Amino acid sequence: MRQIVITAAGGPDKLVGRDAADPEVTAGSLRIRVRASGINFADILARKGLYPDAPKIPCVVGYEVAGTVDAVGDGVEAGWVGKDVLAMTRFGGYADTVVVPLAQVFEKPASLSFEQAAAIPVNYLTAWQLLVTMGALSADETVLIHNAGGGVGLAAIDVARHIGARIIGTASAGKHAFLRERGLHEAIDYRTQDWTPEVARLTGDRGVELITDPLGGKHWKKSYAALRSTGRLGMFGISVATESKLFGPLRLLPVALGMPFFHPIALMNSNRSAFGVNLGHMWHETAKLRPWMQAILQGVADGWVRPHVDSVYPFSEAGKAQQHMEQRRNIGKVVLVPD
């Protein structure tokens, strides 16, 4: 098989293609010939040596794939062979062949391409956890989605639109027209204006009920301050770590120093809450994840789940693909496909 290996912590050139023996299928698992692999910001942090959950370098990252089952292990029905599927992988997804436990595999809707299917697992499960499971968003509330043009941002728009909530989003101006077409009610250009007073203006100085924030550091303080009473802040990333000019793990220092401290008394007095989401730490909770995914796949059938692929790169250009995403030029998912 062909896989993309992080050979050392550093820039996009540290992603190198290598050949390896095909993995052997194990009991309770399926082997998938991968047709598309999703890229996530965690992969970029791992390549920079800033993602503590990543395997020790050299390693192969990747959280999601779509492809065709070519073998099954003991305990798995033979009828899976030949089926097109999407799957959640805890690393190893940057490869043209993967072995995945049955509990993390779902049949691919026929209406989706492999690239679109690979855009579903991380983005939509994260959005579902943020907005539905932990954010408890309702139709009479307003949600503020930071980085609304990213993969999770677009998925969150789909979920919020389905719920019927009012949706405000931050994104660069060039993405606003597309985001409005997707269902965003109000767009804020975070590059040219401070989004805080604009959110206050749009909500009559009341604030919003739910904020999804993948940025981290001091940005979380601003988001928490923009909540209305009963508001919830959902934190799910620290992408600002890539902007630091410091070297190696020291890049995380400004992020850590800028993080808010949520004191229990202050939370009670303000009637607000803050919660974290890290899908990579949910792999032991497949009993929870599977119903979420089933609801999302039903959304595909019903037409409100609309995975959007920004761009597709061959495995040999994995570095370019990550760079495109790191520079936030993408709208939606960036996907890799075998050469």
Side-chain angles (χ1 to χ4, degrees), residues 30-78:
L30 305 88
R31 190 170 66 187
I32 301 168
R33 297 297 179 179
V34 175
R35 297 283 298 277
S37 302
I39 295 180
N40 294 284
F41 218 89
D43 306 339
I44 296 170
L45 292 175
R47 188 245 300 157
K48 291 175 174 286
L50 300 176
Y51 196 62
D53 290 345
K56 184 178 179 181
I57 295 175
C59 65
V60 178
V61 295
Y63 273 114
E64 57 199 340
V65 300
T68 304
V69 177
D70 83 329
V72 297
D74 291 343
V76 179
E77 293 183 5

mmCIF file of all heavy atoms in Angstrom, residues 30-78:
data_model
loop_
_atom_site.group_PDB
_atom_site.id
_atom_site.type_symbol
_atom_site.label_atom_id
_atom_site.label_comp_id
_atom_site.label_asym_id
_atom_site.label_seq_id
_atom_site.Cartn_x
_atom_site.Cartn_y
_atom_site.Cartn_z
ATOM 1 N N LEU A 30 -12.770 -4.513 9.188
ATOM 2 C CA LEU A 30 -12.861 -4.583 7.744
ATOM 3 C C LEU A 30 -11.631 -3.917 7.144
ATOM 4 O O LEU A 30 -11.083 -2.978 7.719
ATOM 5 C CB LEU A 30 -14.108 -3.843 7.225
ATOM 6 C CG LEU A 30 -15.476 -4.213 7.762
ATOM 7 C CD1 LEU A 30 -15.775 -3.397 9.010
ATOM 8 C CD2 LEU A 30 -16.542 -3.930 6.719
ATOM 9 N N ARG A 31 -11.225 -4.387 5.983
ATOM 10 C CA ARG A 31 -10.150 -3.712 5.259
ATOM 11 C C ARG A 31 -10.770 -2.910 4.113
ATOM 12 O O ARG A 31 -11.598 -3.429 3.358
ATOM 13 C CB ARG A 31 -9.117 -4.695 4.723
ATOM 14 C CG ARG A 31 -7.858 -3.986 4.168
ATOM 15 C CD ARG A 31 -6.759 -4.963 3.878
ATOM 16 N NE ARG A 31 -7.114 -5.862 2.778
ATOM 17 C CZ ARG A 31 -6.381 -6.906 2.407
ATOM 18 N NH1 ARG A 31 -5.268 -7.202 3.079
ATOM 19 N NH2 ARG A 31 -6.763 -7.678 1.403
ATOM 20 N N ILE A 32 -10.347 -1.647 4.007
ATOM 21 C CA ILE A 32 -10.929 -0.730 3.030
ATOM 22 C C ILE A 32 -9.859 -0.267 2.063
ATOM 23 O O ILE A 32 -8.767 0.164 2.489
ATOM 24 C CB ILE A 32 -11.541 0.497 3.739
ATOM 25 C CG1 ILE A 32 -12.627 0.057 4.732
ATOM 26 C CG2 ILE A 32 -12.107 1.487 2.726
ATOM 27 C CD1 ILE A 32 -13.075 1.166 5.664
ATOM 28 N N ARG A 33 -10.147 -0.387 0.767
ATOM 29 C CA ARG A 33 -9.316 0.230 -0.251
ATOM 30 C C ARG A 33 -9.800 1.672 -0.394
ATOM 31 O O ARG A 33 -10.900 1.940 -0.865
ATOM 32 C CB ARG A 33 -9.433 -0.515 -1.580
ATOM 33 C CG ARG A 33 -8.951 -1.959 -1.528
ATOM 34 C CD ARG A 33 -7.470 -2.075 -1.200
ATOM 35 N NE ARG A 33 -7.039 -3.484 -1.136
ATOM 36 C CZ ARG A 33 -5.795 -3.873 -0.879
ATOM 37 N NH1 ARG A 33 -4.851 -2.975 -0.657
ATOM 38 N NH2 ARG A 33 -5.502 -5.160 -0.836
ATOM 39 N N VAL A 34 -8.965 2.571 0.051
ATOM 40 C CA VAL A 34 -9.359 3.972 0.210
ATOM 41 C C VAL A 34 -9.436 4.678 -1.135
ATOM 42 O O VAL A 34 -8.532 4.586 -1.964
ATOM 43 C CB VAL A 34 -8.375 4.703 1.146
ATOM 44 C CG1 VAL A 34 -8.693 6.187 1.217
ATOM 45 C CG2 VAL A 34 -8.418 4.067 2.543
ATOM 46 N N ARG A 35 -10.523 5.413 -1.313
ATOM 47 C CA ARG A 35 -10.698 6.252 -2.499
ATOM 48 C C ARG A 35 -10.551 7.737 -2.171
ATOM 49 O O ARG A 35 -10.307 8.550 -3.064
ATOM 50 C CB ARG A 35 -12.070 5.981 -3.112
ATOM 51 C CG ARG A 35 -12.266 4.548 -3.609
ATOM 52 C CD ARG A 35 -11.567 4.307 -4.931
ATOM 53 N NE ARG A 35 -12.114 5.180 -5.977
ATOM 54 C CZ ARG A 35 -13.217 4.911 -6.678
ATOM 55 N NH1 ARG A 35 -13.898 3.791 -6.433
ATOM 56 N NH2 ARG A 35 -13.633 5.735 -7.610
ATOM 57 N N ALA A 36 -10.734 8.101 -0.891
ATOM 58 C CA ALA A 36 -10.599 9.499 -0.479
ATOM 59 C C ALA A 36 -10.337 9.551 1.020
ATOM 60 O O ALA A 36 -10.900 8.769 1.790
ATOM 61 C CB ALA A 36 -11.855 10.292 -0.815
ATOM 62 N N SER A 37 -9.466 10.492 1.427
ATOM 63 C CA SER A 37 -9.138 10.699 2.844
ATOM 64 C C SER A 37 -9.352 12.161 3.186
ATOM 65 O O SER A 37 -8.897 13.051 2.452
ATOM 66 C CB SER A 37 -7.674 10.332 3.129
ATOM 67 O OG SER A 37 -7.395 8.993 2.790
ATOM 68 N N GLY A 38 -10.019 12.438 4.292
ATOM 69 C CA GLY A 38 -10.253 13.813 4.708
ATOM 70 C C GLY A 38 -9.057 14.387 5.451
ATOM 71 O O GLY A 38 -8.357 13.681 6.178
ATOM 72 N N ILE A 39 -8.818 15.689 5.250
ATOM 73 C CA ILE A 39 -7.781 16.412 5.987
ATOM 74 C C ILE A 39 -8.456 17.248 7.066
ATOM 75 O O ILE A 39 -9.468 17.907 6.817
ATOM 76 C CB ILE A 39 -6.963 17.325 5.057
ATOM 77 C CG1 ILE A 39 -6.184 16.491 4.040
ATOM 78 C CG2 ILE A 39 -6.000 18.194 5.868
ATOM 79 C CD1 ILE A 39 -5.342 17.322 3.086
ATOM 80 N N ASN A 40 -7.875 17.248 8.271
ATOM 81 C CA ASN A 40 -8.374 18.058 9.377
ATOM 82 C C ASN A 40 -7.240 18.870 9.970
ATOM 83 O O ASN A 40 -6.059 18.545 9.791
ATOM 84 C CB ASN A 40 -9.000 17.154 10.439
ATOM 85 C CG ASN A 40 -10.249 16.461 9.930
ATOM 86 O OD1 ASN A 40 -11.301 17.070 9.822
ATOM 87 N ND2 ASN A 40 -10.117 15.184 9.582
ATOM 88 N N PHE A 41 -7.601 19.930 10.686
ATOM 89 C CA PHE A 41 -6.566 20.806 11.228
ATOM 90 C C PHE A 41 -5.674 20.080 12.232
ATOM 91 O O PHE A 41 -4.503 20.414 12.403
ATOM 92 C CB PHE A 41 -7.187 22.058 11.874
ATOM 93 C CG PHE A 41 -6.383 23.300 11.628
ATOM 94 C CD1 PHE A 41 -6.610 24.070 10.503
ATOM 95 C CD2 PHE A 41 -5.373 23.675 12.504
ATOM 96 C CE1 PHE A 41 -5.856 25.203 10.257
ATOM 97 C CE2 PHE A 41 -4.609 24.807 12.266
ATOM 98 C CZ PHE A 41 -4.847 25.571 11.138
ATOM 99 N N ALA A 42 -6.223 19.064 12.875
ATOM 100 C CA ALA A 42 -5.402 18.273 13.794
ATOM 101 C C ALA A 42 -4.224 17.637 13.069
ATOM 102 O O ALA A 42 -3.135 17.474 13.649
ATOM 103 C CB ALA A 42 -6.255 17.197 14.454
ATOM 104 N N ASP A 43 -4.411 17.276 11.797
ATOM 105 C CA ASP A 43 -3.318 16.684 11.020
ATOM 106 C C ASP A 43 -2.180 17.688 10.839
ATOM 107 O O ASP A 43 -1.003 17.319 10.865
ATOM 108 C CB ASP A 43 -3.820 16.250 9.640
ATOM 109 C CG ASP A 43 -5.022 15.325 9.693
ATOM 110 O OD1 ASP A 43 -5.237 14.703 10.755
ATOM 111 O OD2 ASP A 43 -5.735 15.239 8.683
ATOM 112 N N ILE A 44 -2.540 18.953 10.636
ATOM 113 C CA ILE A 44 -1.539 20.004 10.464
ATOM 114 C C ILE A 44 -0.792 20.235 11.768
ATOM 115 O O ILE A 44 0.440 20.356 11.783
ATOM 116 C CB ILE A 44 -2.225 21.297 9.976
ATOM 117 C CG1 ILE A 44 -2.832 21.071 8.587
ATOM 118 C CG2 ILE A 44 -1.243 22.459 9.957
ATOM 119 C CD1 ILE A 44 -3.722 22.186 8.108
ATOM 120 N N LEU A 45 -1.523 20.276 12.875
ATOM 121 C CA LEU A 45 -0.866 20.425 14.177
ATOM 122 C C LEU A 45 0.063 19.240 14.449
ATOM 123 O O LEU A 45 1.164 19.415 14.986
ATOM 124 C CB LEU A 45 -1.920 20.536 15.278
ATOM 125 C CG LEU A 45 -2.777 21.808 15.278
ATOM 126 C CD1 LEU A 45 -3.861 21.708 16.347
ATOM 127 C CD2 LEU A 45 -1.919 23.041 15.515
ATOM 128 N N ALA A 46 -0.350 18.033 14.065
ATOM 129 C CA ALA A 46 0.492 16.852 14.256
ATOM 130 C C ALA A 46 1.784 16.975 13.450
ATOM 131 O O ALA A 46 2.871 16.643 13.936
ATOM 132 C CB ALA A 46 -0.268 15.594 13.850
ATOM 133 N N ARG A 47 1.671 17.451 12.218
ATOM 134 C CA ARG A 47 2.861 17.616 11.375
ATOM 135 C C ARG A 47 3.824 18.649 11.961
ATOM 136 O O ARG A 47 5.033 18.549 11.816
ATOM 137 C CB ARG A 47 2.421 18.022 9.973
ATOM 138 C CG ARG A 47 3.544 18.037 8.943
ATOM 139 C CD ARG A 47 3.786 19.441 8.447
ATOM 140 N NE ARG A 47 2.599 19.978 7.823
ATOM 141 C CZ ARG A 47 2.382 21.286 7.704
ATOM 142 N NH1 ARG A 47 3.227 22.163 8.199
ATOM 143 N NH2 ARG A 47 1.283 21.730 7.118
ATOM 144 N N LYS A 48 3.297 19.637 12.660
ATOM 145 C CA LYS A 48 4.130 20.656 13.287
ATOM 146 C C LYS A 48 4.651 20.222 14.666
ATOM 147 O O LYS A 48 5.376 20.966 15.328
ATOM 148 C CB LYS A 48 3.338 21.956 13.431
ATOM 149 C CG LYS A 48 3.035 22.667 12.111
ATOM 150 C CD LYS A 48 2.151 23.871 12.334
ATOM 151 C CE LYS A 48 1.973 24.666 11.048
ATOM 152 N NZ LYS A 48 3.184 25.425 10.703
ATOM 153 N N GLY A 49 4.250 19.034 15.103
ATOM 154 C CA GLY A 49 4.674 18.558 16.414
ATOM 155 C C GLY A 49 3.903 19.182 17.550
ATOM 156 O O GLY A 49 4.369 19.207 18.693
ATOM 157 N N LEU A 50 2.679 19.677 17.268
ATOM 158 C CA LEU A 50 1.899 20.401 18.263
ATOM 159 C C LEU A 50 0.640 19.652 18.687
ATOM 160 O O LEU A 50 -0.208 20.215 19.379
ATOM 161 C CB LEU A 50 1.494 21.777 17.702
ATOM 162 C CG LEU A 50 2.639 22.710 17.302
ATOM 163 C CD1 LEU A 50 2.086 23.978 16.675
ATOM 164 C CD2 LEU A 50 3.503 23.044 18.515
ATOM 165 N N TYR A 51 0.504 18.404 18.271
ATOM 166 C CA TYR A 51 -0.713 17.656 18.587
ATOM 167 C C TYR A 51 -0.341 16.490 19.495
ATOM 168 O O TYR A 51 0.174 15.467 19.038
ATOM 169 C CB TYR A 51 -1.381 17.162 17.306
ATOM 170 C CG TYR A 51 -2.811 16.724 17.497
ATOM 171 C CD1 TYR A 51 -3.773 17.632 17.920
ATOM 172 C CD2 TYR A 51 -3.207 15.411 17.248
ATOM 173 C CE1 TYR A 51 -5.095 17.240 18.086
ATOM 174 C CE2 TYR A 51 -4.527 15.019 17.411
ATOM 175 C CZ TYR A 51 -5.466 15.946 17.831
ATOM 176 O OH TYR A 51 -6.773 15.557 18.002
ATOM 177 N N PRO A 52 -0.606 16.612 20.804
ATOM 178 C CA PRO A 52 -0.130 15.589 21.749
ATOM 179 C C PRO A 52 -0.726 14.214 21.535
ATOM 180 O O PRO A 52 -0.135 13.209 21.948
ATOM 181 C CB PRO A 52 -0.530 16.166 23.119
ATOM 182 C CG PRO A 52 -1.613 17.149 22.831
ATOM 183 C CD PRO A 52 -1.296 17.713 21.489
ATOM 184 N N ASP A 53 -1.903 14.127 20.905
ATOM 185 C CA ASP A 53 -2.538 12.823 20.702
ATOM 186 C C ASP A 53 -1.933 12.030 19.549
ATOM 187 O O ASP A 53 -2.181 10.833 19.422
ATOM 188 C CB ASP A 53 -4.031 13.006 20.415
ATOM 189 C CG ASP A 53 -4.796 13.468 21.638
ATOM 190 O OD1 ASP A 53 -4.238 13.375 22.745
ATOM 191 O OD2 ASP A 53 -5.948 13.920 21.486
ATOM 192 N N ALA A 54 -1.194 12.699 18.669
ATOM 193 C CA ALA A 54 -0.666 12.038 17.479
ATOM 194 C C ALA A 54 0.340 10.950 17.850
ATOM 195 O O ALA A 54 1.024 11.037 18.870
ATOM 196 C CB ALA A 54 -0.008 13.056 16.559
ATOM 197 N N PRO A 55 0.442 9.913 17.017
ATOM 198 C CA PRO A 55 1.474 8.898 17.263
ATOM 199 C C PRO A 55 2.863 9.521 17.185
ATOM 200 O O PRO A 55 3.060 10.603 16.616
ATOM 201 C CB PRO A 55 1.262 7.906 16.112
ATOM 202 C CG PRO A 55 -0.102 8.186 15.583
ATOM 203 C CD PRO A 55 -0.352 9.636 15.804
ATOM 204 N N LYS A 56 3.816 8.831 17.747
ATOM 205 C CA LYS A 56 5.197 9.314 17.715
ATOM 206 C C LYS A 56 5.691 9.362 16.270
ATOM 207 O O LYS A 56 5.503 8.431 15.496
ATOM 208 C CB LYS A 56 6.087 8.388 18.551
ATOM 209 C CG LYS A 56 7.537 8.855 18.656
ATOM 210 C CD LYS A 56 8.350 7.918 19.542
ATOM 211 C CE LYS A 56 9.809 8.367 19.631
ATOM 212 N NZ LYS A 56 10.607 7.443 20.475
ATOM 213 N N ILE A 57 6.306 10.473 15.909
ATOM 214 C CA ILE A 57 6.866 10.635 14.562
ATOM 215 C C ILE A 57 8.055 9.692 14.392
ATOM 216 O O ILE A 57 8.867 9.566 15.305
ATOM 217 C CB ILE A 57 7.289 12.100 14.345
ATOM 218 C CG1 ILE A 57 6.043 13.005 14.367
ATOM 219 C CG2 ILE A 57 8.051 12.281 13.043
ATOM 220 C CD1 ILE A 57 6.338 14.476 14.283
ATOM 221 N N PRO A 58 8.196 9.015 13.236
ATOM 222 C CA PRO A 58 7.392 9.085 12.010
ATOM 223 C C PRO A 58 6.046 8.393 12.177
ATOM 224 O O PRO A 58 5.952 7.346 12.836
ATOM 225 C CB PRO A 58 8.265 8.379 10.984
ATOM 226 C CG PRO A 58 9.081 7.408 11.785
ATOM 227 C CD PRO A 58 9.348 8.100 13.086
ATOM 228 N N CYS A 59 5.020 8.979 11.575
ATOM 229 C CA CYS A 59 3.685 8.431 11.760
ATOM 230 C C CYS A 59 2.800 8.772 10.569
ATOM 231 O O CYS A 59 3.138 9.618 9.732
ATOM 232 C CB CYS A 59 3.056 8.975 13.045
ATOM 233 S SG CYS A 59 2.756 10.754 13.008
ATOM 234 N N VAL A 60 1.676 8.094 10.519
ATOM 235 C CA VAL A 60 0.652 8.353 9.500
ATOM 236 C C VAL A 60 -0.589 8.844 10.232
ATOM 237 O O VAL A 60 -1.094 8.168 11.128
ATOM 238 C CB VAL A 60 0.318 7.078 8.701
ATOM 239 C CG1 VAL A 60 -0.776 7.359 7.671
ATOM 240 C CG2 VAL A 60 1.567 6.534 8.022
ATOM 241 N N VAL A 61 -1.077 10.031 9.862
ATOM 242 C CA VAL A 61 -2.261 10.583 10.508
ATOM 243 C C VAL A 61 -3.469 10.432 9.590
ATOM 244 O O VAL A 61 -3.388 9.828 8.526
ATOM 245 C CB VAL A 61 -2.039 12.054 10.906
ATOM 246 C CG1 VAL A 61 -0.961 12.166 11.973
ATOM 247 C CG2 VAL A 61 -1.685 12.908 9.688
ATOM 248 N N GLY A 62 -4.580 11.007 9.992
ATOM 249 C CA GLY A 62 -5.806 10.924 9.197
ATOM 250 C C GLY A 62 -6.915 10.288 9.986
ATOM 251 O O GLY A 62 -6.763 9.181 10.516
ATOM 252 N N TYR A 63 -8.055 10.995 10.080
ATOM 253 C CA TYR A 63 -9.172 10.581 10.921
ATOM 254 C C TYR A 63 -10.362 10.008 10.159
ATOM 255 O O TYR A 63 -11.325 9.573 10.783
ATOM 256 C CB TYR A 63 -9.672 11.780 11.731
ATOM 257 C CG TYR A 63 -8.961 12.021 13.037
ATOM 258 C CD1 TYR A 63 -8.197 13.161 13.246
ATOM 259 C CD2 TYR A 63 -9.077 11.114 14.086
ATOM 260 C CE1 TYR A 63 -7.570 13.413 14.461
ATOM 261 C CE2 TYR A 63 -8.453 11.342 15.308
ATOM 262 C CZ TYR A 63 -7.708 12.496 15.486
ATOM 263 O OH TYR A 63 -7.092 12.719 16.695
ATOM 264 N N GLU A 64 -10.341 10.031 8.813
ATOM 265 C CA GLU A 64 -11.553 9.621 8.100
ATOM 266 C C GLU A 64 -11.218 9.235 6.668
ATOM 267 O O GLU A 64 -10.335 9.825 6.042
ATOM 268 C CB GLU A 64 -12.567 10.774 8.095
ATOM 269 C CG GLU A 64 -12.012 12.039 7.487
ATOM 270 C CD GLU A 64 -12.783 13.286 7.880
ATOM 271 O OE1 GLU A 64 -13.941 13.176 8.293
ATOM 272 O OE2 GLU A 64 -12.199 14.383 7.762
ATOM 273 N N VAL A 65 -11.932 8.236 6.185
ATOM 274 C CA VAL A 65 -11.725 7.761 4.816
ATOM 275 C C VAL A 65 -13.060 7.339 4.211
ATOM 276 O O VAL A 65 -14.046 7.119 4.915
ATOM 277 C CB VAL A 65 -10.747 6.559 4.760
ATOM 278 C CG1 VAL A 65 -9.384 6.920 5.314
ATOM 279 C CG2 VAL A 65 -11.330 5.351 5.488
ATOM 280 N N ALA A 66 -13.052 7.211 2.886
ATOM 281 C CA ALA A 66 -14.152 6.573 2.161
ATOM 282 C C ALA A 66 -13.534 5.662 1.115
ATOM 283 O O ALA A 66 -12.497 5.988 0.529
ATOM 284 C CB ALA A 66 -15.050 7.621 1.504
ATOM 285 N N GLY A 67 -14.160 4.522 0.908
ATOM 286 C CA GLY A 67 -13.607 3.581 -0.058
ATOM 287 C C GLY A 67 -14.473 2.339 -0.155
ATOM 288 O O GLY A 67 -15.672 2.361 0.159
ATOM 289 N N THR A 68 -13.854 1.239 -0.561
ATOM 290 C CA THR A 68 -14.581 -0.013 -0.801
ATOM 291 C C THR A 68 -13.969 -1.137 0.029
ATOM 292 O O THR A 68 -12.742 -1.312 0.037
ATOM 293 C CB THR A 68 -14.530 -0.382 -2.293
ATOM 294 O OG1 THR A 68 -15.054 0.710 -3.064
ATOM 295 C CG2 THR A 68 -15.337 -1.634 -2.570
ATOM 296 N N VAL A 69 -14.810 -1.891 0.703
ATOM 297 C CA VAL A 69 -14.341 -3.006 1.528
ATOM 298 C C VAL A 69 -13.853 -4.142 0.634
ATOM 299 O O VAL A 69 -14.547 -4.547 -0.311
ATOM 300 C CB VAL A 69 -15.471 -3.513 2.444
ATOM 301 C CG1 VAL A 69 -15.006 -4.735 3.252
ATOM 302 C CG2 VAL A 69 -15.944 -2.409 3.373
ATOM 303 N N ASP A 70 -12.651 -4.655 0.924
ATOM 304 C CA ASP A 70 -12.144 -5.776 0.118
ATOM 305 C C ASP A 70 -11.879 -7.024 0.945
ATOM 306 O O ASP A 70 -11.586 -8.090 0.396
ATOM 307 C CB ASP A 70 -10.884 -5.360 -0.658
ATOM 308 C CG ASP A 70 -9.609 -5.454 0.166
ATOM 309 O OD1 ASP A 70 -9.672 -5.260 1.399
ATOM 310 O OD2 ASP A 70 -8.542 -5.696 -0.425
ATOM 311 N N ALA A 71 -11.995 -6.925 2.280
ATOM 312 C CA ALA A 71 -11.801 -8.111 3.124
ATOM 313 C C ALA A 71 -12.408 -7.847 4.492
ATOM 314 O O ALA A 71 -12.506 -6.690 4.936
ATOM 315 C CB ALA A 71 -10.313 -8.449 3.262
ATOM 316 N N VAL A 72 -12.830 -8.914 5.159
ATOM 317 C CA VAL A 72 -13.382 -8.788 6.507
ATOM 318 C C VAL A 72 -12.720 -9.799 7.423
ATOM 319 O O VAL A 72 -12.272 -10.864 6.983
ATOM 320 C CB VAL A 72 -14.917 -9.000 6.518
ATOM 321 C CG1 VAL A 72 -15.612 -7.931 5.693
ATOM 322 C CG2 VAL A 72 -15.294 -10.392 6.018
ATOM 323 N N GLY A 73 -12.688 -9.455 8.707
ATOM 324 C CA GLY A 73 -12.123 -10.349 9.693
ATOM 325 C C GLY A 73 -13.168 -11.249 10.312
ATOM 326 O O GLY A 73 -14.363 -11.151 10.015
ATOM 327 N N ASP A 74 -12.711 -12.127 11.188
ATOM 328 C CA ASP A 74 -13.629 -13.024 11.892
ATOM 329 C C ASP A 74 -14.687 -12.215 12.640
ATOM 330 O O ASP A 74 -14.393 -11.182 13.256
ATOM 331 C CB ASP A 74 -12.853 -13.883 12.889
ATOM 332 C CG ASP A 74 -11.944 -14.892 12.209
ATOM 333 O OD1 ASP A 74 -12.158 -15.151 11.005
ATOM 334 O OD2 ASP A 74 -11.019 -15.396 12.876
ATOM 335 N N GLY A 75 -15.921 -12.696 12.565
ATOM 336 C CA GLY A 75 -17.004 -12.026 13.266
ATOM 337 C C GLY A 75 -17.704 -10.950 12.460
ATOM 338 O O GLY A 75 -18.666 -10.348 12.949
ATOM 339 N N VAL A 76 -17.246 -10.703 11.238
ATOM 340 C CA VAL A 76 -17.859 -9.687 10.382
ATOM 341 C C VAL A 76 -18.502 -10.392 9.187
ATOM 342 O O VAL A 76 -17.874 -11.246 8.549
ATOM 343 C CB VAL A 76 -16.823 -8.654 9.894
ATOM 344 C CG1 VAL A 76 -17.492 -7.628 8.991
ATOM 345 C CG2 VAL A 76 -16.164 -7.968 11.088
ATOM 346 N N GLU A 77 -19.734 -10.031 8.862
ATOM 347 C CA GLU A 77 -20.443 -10.675 7.769
ATOM 348 C C GLU A 77 -19.730 -10.471 6.440
ATOM 349 O O GLU A 77 -19.283 -9.368 6.119
ATOM 350 C CB GLU A 77 -21.868 -10.118 7.672
ATOM 351 C CG GLU A 77 -22.759 -10.480 8.849
ATOM 352 C CD GLU A 77 -24.173 -9.951 8.664
ATOM 353 O OE1 GLU A 77 -24.456 -9.399 7.578
ATOM 354 O OE2 GLU A 77 -24.982 -10.090 9.600
ATOM 355 N N ALA A 78 -19.655 -11.536 5.666
ATOM 356 C CA ALA A 78 -18.968 -11.486 4.375
ATOM 357 C C ALA A 78 -19.654 -10.538 3.397
ATOM 358 O O ALA A 78 -19.036 -10.069 2.436
ATOM 359 C CB ALA A 78 -18.895 -12.891 3.769
#
